[in-house]
């Protein structure tokens, strides 16, 4: 099989702070010998664990990139023991055009792992993470938000894993991140996800959803910045004390399909609940108005389980099959 064509200008074994690029040759109409240049930085100080921290896996999610462009600007590394590799905007072509998927090949990076060294641009990038960056890492943090089409209450997340020891380590790191909520996440479809790749390689993996609507808020940025430091402190890489918010974090569980409310209609959403509201099974969640004509009664959508509204669809126009809401159960902290 072809060798991965990405060239990294970072020397991963070198001590100190380095800024560089992952250069992926991309010959195209406006640049015969062009390349996709994904910014990457590393801080290394002696021996110790390695953390790999990413944002912009989906190009329209911004808490990760803002927190990581900030982190990458640090000039000190005496308080670091080990290695931190930071890619603020993982799917860089998507990030450049504020899109969830790559404009080059239309591929969703987070559905294409483990990737292919001889595939399309996004598949080659995924392969580089699978074959080069992930093998170096002990701790992996991938900062997500809802993008242009979803909005979330801010939470860190880990998955239920077959290896219970690994699961416990992921949960401990998820807690340490210090978001107001944490969630034991059940993915709709975990195939091809970066999460799954990192977990199958035995890494301590934490993901997040910190907001959405294709933008950021002061509070969500604060959570992301604090979370990056907390994650590194927890990993034993950064000196310092864990910093948590004022409120005690709440633990949420999404273990059943009933957590997800999908639209069976296309139309105009009239929301009947807000993010963070507590609902009971059967409560009215939203009404969807048919927009082709007047005097058609709206379709009503009801909660399928008790819990808290942790996600909502953002554009007011919804399409059949879109996720309208997610409801998670509030559980006793058992982590
Ligand atoms: Ca995402």
């Amino acid at each position: 099989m072809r060798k991965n064509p990405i060239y990294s200008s970072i020397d991963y074994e070198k001590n100190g702070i380095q800024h560089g690029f992952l250069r992926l040759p991309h010959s195209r109409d406006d640049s015969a010998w062009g390349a996709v240049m994904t910014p990457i930085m590393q801080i290394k100080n002696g021996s110790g664990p390695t953390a790999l921290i990413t944002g912009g896996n989906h190009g329209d999610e911004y808490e990760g990139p803002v927190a990581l462009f900030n982190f990458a600007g640090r000039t000190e590394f005496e308080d670091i023991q080990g290695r931190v590799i930071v890619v603020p905007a993982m799917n860089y072509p998507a990030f450049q055009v504020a899109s969830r998927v790559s404009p080059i090949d239309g591929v969703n990076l987070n559905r294409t792992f483990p990737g292919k060294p001889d595939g399309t641009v996004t598949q080659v990038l995924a392969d580089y993470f699978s074959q080069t960056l992930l093998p170096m890492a002990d701790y992996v943090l991938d900062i997500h938000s809802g993008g242009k089409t979803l909005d979330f209450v801010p939470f860190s997340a880990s998955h239920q894993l077959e290896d219970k020891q690994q699961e416990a380590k992921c949960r401990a790191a998820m807690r340490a991140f210090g978001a107001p909520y944490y969630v034991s996440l059940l993915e709709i479809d975990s195939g091809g996800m970066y999460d799954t790749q990192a977990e199958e390689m035995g890494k301590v993996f934490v993901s997040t959803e910190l907001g959405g609507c294709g933008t950021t808020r002061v509070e969500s940025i604060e959570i992301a910045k604090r979370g990056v430091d907390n994650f590194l402190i927890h990993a034993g890489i950064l000196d310092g004390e864990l910093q948590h918010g004022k409120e005690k974090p709440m633990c949420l569980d999404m273990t059943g399909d009933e957590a997800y409310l999908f639209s069976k209609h296309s139309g105009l959403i009239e929301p009947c609940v807000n993010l963070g509201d507590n609902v009971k099974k059967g409560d009215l969640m939203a009404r969807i108005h048919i927009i082709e004509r007047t005097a058609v009664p709206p379709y009503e959508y009801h909660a399928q389980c008790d819990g808290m509204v942790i996600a909502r669809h953002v554009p007011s126009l919804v399409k059949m099959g879109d996720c309208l809401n997610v409801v998670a159960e509030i559980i006793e902290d058992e982590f």
Side-chain angles (χ1 to χ4, degrees):
M1 199 184 283
R2 185 172 87 148
K3 185 175 162 286
N4 191 299
I6 290 179
Y7 167 79
S8 173
S9 60
I10 300 283
D11 176 351
Y12 298 114
E13 299 311 317
K14 196 173 142 191
N15 277 319
I17 298 177
Q18 298 175 73
H19 300 276
F21 300 95
L22 301 175
R23 181 165 56 79
L24 164 55
H26 177 46
S27 178
R28 57 196 195 269
D29 195 47
D30 68 336
S31 182
W33 286 6
V36 172
M37 302 285 280
T38 305
I40 180 171
M41 70 87 63
Q42 173 180 286
I43 306 179
K44 184 173 184 294
N45 189 15
S47 59
T50 293
L52 172 60
I53 308 186
T54 47
N57 181 335
H58 293 127
D60 60 350
E61 305 175 0
Y62 298 103
E63 278 78 4
V66 173
L68 295 177
F69 276 112
N70 267 289
F71 181 86
R74 67 170 18 241
T75 51
E76 306 286 311
F77 64 94
E78 288 71 24
D79 53 351
I80 300 267
Q81 185 66 47
R83 180 167 57 177
V84 187
I85 301 170
V86 173
V87 182
M90 199 178 176
N91 192 344
Y92 192 67
F95 178 71
Q96 282 178 298
V97 296
S99 164
R100 178 174 176 83
V101 304
S102 174
I104 297 172
D105 53 18
V107 172
N108 179 343
L109 176 59
N110 213 29
R111 298 292 182 278
T112 196
F113 276 87
K116 287 180 191 166
D118 56 353
T120 66
V121 162
T122 310
Q123 289 170 329
V124 168
L125 181 70
D127 179 74
Y128 187 81
F129 272 85
S130 299
Q131 299 296 331
T132 302
L133 293 179
L134 281 173
M136 290 191 278
D138 306 289
Y139 292 84
V140 182
L141 171 62
D142 189 31
I143 304 171
H144 283 253
S145 303
K148 285 177 294 193
T149 65
L150 288 171
D151 190 17
F152 287 94
V153 299
F155 64 83
S156 57
S158 66
H159 295 105
Q160 291 161 26
L161 302 174
E162 267 173 41
D163 179 341
K164 291 300 159 194
Q165 261 189 339
Q166 186 192 2
E167 180 181 302
K169 284 183 190 167
C170 294
R171 285 189 168 195
M174 166 187 76
R175 273 191 67 145
F177 182 89
Y181 301 94
Y182 38 90
V183 176
S184 167
L185 206 56
L186 175 79
E187 296 294 344
I188 304 170
D189 174 14
S190 67
M193 290 180 73
Y194 180 54
D195 312 46
T196 312
Q197 183 65 27
E199 286 159 357
E200 281 178 356
M201 291 171 77
K203 310 303 176 187
V204 177
F205 180 83
V206 173
S207 178
T208 71
E209 298 291 357
L210 297 182
C213 311
T215 185
T216 59
R217 293 174 297 113
V218 172
E219 300 79 33
S220 62
I221 297 285
E222 220 165 82
I223 293 164
K225 286 181 178 175
R226 190 178 70 199
V228 169
D229 285 352
N230 281 341
F231 186 77
L232 291 172
I233 292 166
H234 175 79
I237 296 173
L238 178 65
D239 266 355
E241 298 285 319
L242 295 178
Q243 301 292 326
H244 284 177
K246 283 180 230 99
E247 307 285 327
K248 185 178 178 291
M250 278 168 74
C251 180
L252 302 162
D253 190 26
M254 297 154 61
T255 48
D257 286 341
E258 65 275 8
Y260 297 91
L261 190 59
F262 290 105
S263 183
K264 297 190 188 87
H265 301 92
S266 298
L268 173 66
I269 304 175
E270 177 185 342
C272 303
V273 290
N274 285 311
L275 270 190
D277 281 357
N278 286 304
V279 296
K280 291 264 175 233
K281 185 177 176 178
D283 282 358
L284 182 62
M285 299 288 288
R287 308 200 309 160
I288 296 180
H289 295 269
I290 300 306
I291 59 173
E292 282 81 13
R293 53 185 55 80
T294 54
V296 179
Y299 293 95
E300 295 197 331
Y301 280 79
H302 298 92
Q304 301 172 131
C305 59
D306 296 357
M308 195 182 85
V309 182
I310 67 162
R312 68 181 181 110
H313 190 270
V314 171
S316 283
L317 292 178
V318 69
K319 295 176 299 304
M320 187 170 178
D322 289 352
C323 183
L324 272 175
N325 284 112
V326 181
V327 173
E329 192 190 345
I330 299 164
I331 57 173
E332 284 301 306
D333 184 355
E334 56 177 49
F335 302 157

